[in-house]
């Protein structure tokens, strides 16, 4: 079933609020096997909304609107859909009673224009809205089904989950489902992943493979359409096995996993801690780590060493190295990692120093140049990055790269320890 979503409201076009209703509807409808192919946003203008309805009806089986069901003159969606379908409006007493009861419970004075919300197109199915005054409505005309939903996100979700989705399940039992599973990769670029998976992508049909670049990581989304969830799971698992056989070494997590969360889990597993020394990121890497509940178990502390004085006096970066190599250098990054690890007493430490821009760059040290170092009891390493984008993008990419490099180091350190333990156990057996 082809679906078009029409969101109404001039405030959306002005950018005053985010269009979260479309995001929610697209995710939920696709998961239920509907093909959301079009999305339109129009202001509170009758002529433009009429045009949008005509276009949508010509190319979609189901047209879903959100907003425009309120009591004001600017709320025109219901009236225009009824006009388009040739349906008369009548006072639905059940809806009227619900509106008056709800407003009375909230100690809100009932105004004459509240009756407008109880007007329902003839032939429409009413979708009850227990948390608001505007009911949802389903009205069919020729070969198109029009679904009208309230605009407030909380009300829209309530009506969908309690009324609309059960209605769809009964009306379209053969629709099947569309299910997605996402692999999250770190340490490789989008073009590199695309090249490695090129043969699989060319052969894809169902499941499909889609690549996305997001803030220093790559998402590989596998999507299957099937009659039932179990069948979709089997199809996705078979494709995932093929994908991971090629790029598995770069996969750090799945679906809702994040780099800070996965790093935290790895540290918790080993009962180890980490510290950060941040210059150009200003504490962003530490902030991302603390977004994860329970991060105090493994994030021991951090130092925002934004100036050379703090680098020198707090985390003991060698003054000669600072003067000779400059703050943005491999040598300083390594000194920062060593210094903060010793200062805070953590098992691991990561440091970030670079040029976030937009000014301050030179030919030898351009904006976006960042050095990231990690240190632990087994040694240290440093990597050089050249990030593109505006200041905030460079900061976020640098912070994510530091967390990713720390994750690599933690896993590598664990492997080294396991090897040593295995050798020790072998020696014990020989005795």
């Amino acid at each position: 079933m082809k679906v078009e979503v029409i969101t109404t409201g001039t405030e959306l076009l002005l950018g005053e609020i985010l269009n979260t209703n479309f995001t929610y509807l697209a995710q939920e409808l696709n998961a239920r096997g509907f093909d959301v192919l079009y999305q339109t946003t129009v202001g509170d203008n009758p002529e433009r909304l009429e045009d949008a309805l005509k276009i949508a009806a010509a190319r979609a089986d189901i047209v879903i609107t959100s907003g425009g069901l309120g009591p004001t003159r600017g709320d025109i969606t219901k009236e225009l859909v009824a006009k388009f379908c040739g349906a008369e409006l009548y006072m639905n007493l059940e809806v009227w009673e619900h509106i008056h009861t709800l407003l009375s419970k909230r100690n809100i004075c009932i105004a004459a224009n509240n009756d407008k919300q109880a007007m329902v197109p003839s032939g429409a199915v009413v979708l009850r809205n227990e948390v608001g005054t505007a009911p949802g409505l389903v009205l069919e005309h020729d070969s198109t089904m029009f679904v009208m939903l309230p605009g407030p996100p909380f009300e829209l979700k309530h009506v969908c989950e309690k009324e609309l989705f059960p209605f769809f399940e009964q009306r379209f039992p053969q629709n099947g489902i569309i299910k997605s599973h996402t692999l999250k990769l770190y340490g490789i670029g989008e073009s590199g992943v695309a090249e490695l998976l090129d043969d699989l992508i060319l052969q894809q049909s169902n499941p499909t493979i889609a690549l996305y670049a997001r803030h220093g990581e790559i998402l590989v989304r596998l999507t299957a359409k099937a009659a039932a969830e179990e069948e979709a799971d089997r199809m996705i698992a078979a494709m995932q096995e093929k994908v991971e056989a090629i790029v598995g070494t770069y996969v750090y997590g799945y679906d809702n996993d994040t780099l800070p969360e996965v790093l935290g889990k790895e540290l918790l597993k080993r009962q180890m801690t980490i510290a950060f020394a941040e210059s150009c990121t200003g504490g962003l890497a530490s902030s991302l780590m603390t977004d994860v509940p329970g991060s105090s178990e493994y994030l021991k502390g951090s130092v925002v060493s934004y100036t050379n004085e703090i680098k020198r006096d707090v985390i003991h970066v060698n003054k000669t190295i600072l003067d000779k190599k400059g703050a943005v250098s491999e040598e300083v990054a390594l000194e920062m990692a060593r210094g903060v690890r010793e200062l805070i007493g953590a098992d691991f430490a990561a440091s970030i120093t670079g040029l976030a821009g937009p000014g301050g760059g030179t030919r030898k040290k351009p904006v976006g140049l960042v050095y990231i170092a990690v240190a632990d009891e087994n040694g240290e390493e440093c990597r050089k990055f050249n990030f593109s984008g505006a200041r905030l993008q460079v900061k976020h990419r640098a912070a994510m790269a530091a967390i990713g490099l720390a994750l690599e180091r933690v896993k590598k350190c664990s492997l080294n320890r396991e090897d040593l333990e295995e050798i020790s156990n072998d020696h014990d057996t020989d005795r």
Side-chain angles (χ1 to χ4, degrees):
M1 303 292 290
K2 298 177 183 177
V3 177
E4 175 155 356
V5 177
I6 300 176
T7 50
T8 65
T10 303
E11 66 276 11
L12 292 170
L13 293 173
L14 293 175
E16 294 175 350
I17 61 172
L18 292 174
N19 193 350
T20 58
N21 282 347
F22 174 71
T23 302
Y24 169 78
L25 288 168
Q27 290 174 345
E28 294 295 328
L29 290 166
N30 277 299
R32 288 167 170 79
F34 294 91
D35 296 315
V36 181
L37 301 183
Y38 308 100
Q39 189 261 326
T40 303
T41 300
V42 287
D44 303 314
N45 179 282
E47 289 79 18
R48 286 191 281 274
L49 181 53
E50 279 189 279
D51 290 341
L53 291 171
K54 290 175 186 176
I55 294 170
R59 64 188 182 185
D61 304 305
I62 301 174
V63 178
I64 300 178
T65 67
S66 76
L69 303 181
T72 70
R73 290 185 181 276
D75 294 305
I76 55 176
T77 301
K78 176 175 59 183
E79 289 75 12
L80 289 181
V81 172
K83 177 184 175 183
F84 182 84
C85 297
E88 296 290 331
L89 294 170
Y90 73 95
M91 174 71 72
N92 185 299
L93 295 180
E94 190 176 331
V95 174
W96 181 87
E97 185 177 347
H98 164 71
I99 293 170
H100 282 241
T101 301
L102 185 67
L103 294 179
S104 296
K105 286 181 179 178
R106 295 177 178 176
N107 294 319
I108 297 174
C109 293
I110 299 168
N113 62 0
N114 286 123
D115 291 346
K116 176 178 181 289
Q117 292 181 292
M119 300 298 290
V120 172
S122 59
V125 175
V126 176
L127 305 175
R128 292 175 298 174
N129 179 3
E130 301 298 336
V131 296
T133 54
L137 300 162
V138 178
L139 184 61
E140 297 188 58
H141 176 65
D142 293 336
S143 59
T144 306
M145 176 184 287
F146 291 89
V147 178
M148 292 158 272
L149 298 172
F154 177 73
E155 293 185 31
L156 180 140
K157 291 179 182 179
H158 179 87
V159 172
C160 284
E161 290 166 10
K162 299 294 184 181
E163 297 281 322
L164 179 61
F165 296 153
F167 173 82
F168 277 169
E169 287 173 11
Q170 290 185 345
R171 185 63 185 275
F172 308 108
Q174 76 292 348
N175 207 44
I177 68 160
I178 296 176
K179 190 169 184 179
S180 293
H181 179 54
T182 303
L183 285 65
K184 295 194 167 183
L185 284 64
Y186 167 79
I188 185 172
E190 185 178 18
S191 59
V193 177
E195 184 177 357
L196 289 172
L197 297 180
D198 191 52
D199 288 342
L200 279 182
I201 293 172
L202 288 174
Q203 296 168 17
Q204 69 177 341
S205 56
N206 185 23
T208 59
I209 304 172
L211 308 182
Y212 304 92
R214 301 274 174 84
H215 301 301
E217 61 183 8
I218 305 298
L219 311 185
V220 179
R221 191 185 68 196
L222 310 178
T223 304
K225 186 167 186 176
E229 186 172 0
E230 294 78 9
E231 182 185 355
D233 286 337
R234 286 194 298 271
M235 295 166 67
I236 289 172
M239 181 60 75
Q240 180 177 333
E241 187 177 352
K242 294 178 182 178
V243 171
E244 291 197 337
I246 301 171
V247 296
T249 55
Y250 300 103
V251 175
Y252 78 81
Y254 305 92
D255 294 325
N256 296 320
D257 290 339
T258 66
L259 266 175
E261 182 182 24
V262 173
L263 173 57
K265 287 179 180 177
E266 293 294 330
L267 288 165
L268 275 176
K269 190 192 305 181
R270 296 160 177 79
Q271 296 185 323
M272 303 181 88
T273 58
I274 193 167
F276 286 85
E278 303 186 53
S279 184
C280 64
T281 46
L284 181 56
S286 304
S287 177
L288 292 171
M289 292 295 293
T290 58
D291 285 343
V292 182
S295 52
S296 60
E297 294 292 322
Y298 47 81
L299 178 61
K300 201 163 185 182
S302 64
V303 174
V304 179
S305 53
Y306 205 60
T307 64
N308 283 355
E309 288 78 14
I310 299 300
K311 290 181 180 70
R312 183 187 65 233
D313 299 338
V314 176
I315 54 176
H316 309 301
V317 174
N318 186 286
K319 183 179 183 301
T320 302
I321 291 177
L322 265 174
D323 293 340
K324 186 176 180 180
K325 297 294 183 179
V328 182
S329 63
E330 176 180 346
E331 291 81 0
V332 167
L334 288 167
E335 288 262 316
M336 288 169 63
R338 292 186 208 114
V340 78
R341 178 172 177 266
E342 183 177 342
L343 174 71
I344 292 178
D347 297 300
F348 294 90
S351 67
I352 310 166
T353 181
L355 293 163
T362 65
R363 185 176 60 83
K364 288 186 177 180
K365 294 186 177 182
V367 168
L369 173 65
V370 177
Y371 289 94
I372 297 172
V374 287
D376 57 54
E377 65 178 0
N378 296 314
E380 60 208 20
E381 61 181 295
C382 181
R383 290 188 194 170
K384 175 182 176 182
F385 296 85
N386 285 284
F387 298 114
S388 59
R391 180 180 179 84
L392 294 182
Q393 290 175 303
V394 171
K395 288 178 65 177
H396 196 278
R397 288 169 181 165
M400 289 292 283
I403 294 169
L405 186 56
L407 177 60
E408 286 183 36
R409 187 75 184 184
V410 170
K411 288 182 174 180
K412 187 185 297 182
C413 176
S414 175
L415 288 173
N416 290 340
R417 285 189 170 191
E418 288 171 6
D419 291 341
L420 290 171
E421 287 174 6
E422 187 174 335
I423 292 169
S424 176
N425 290 336
D426 288 344
H427 288 170
D428 290 342
T429 304
D430 292 339
R431 292 196 190 99

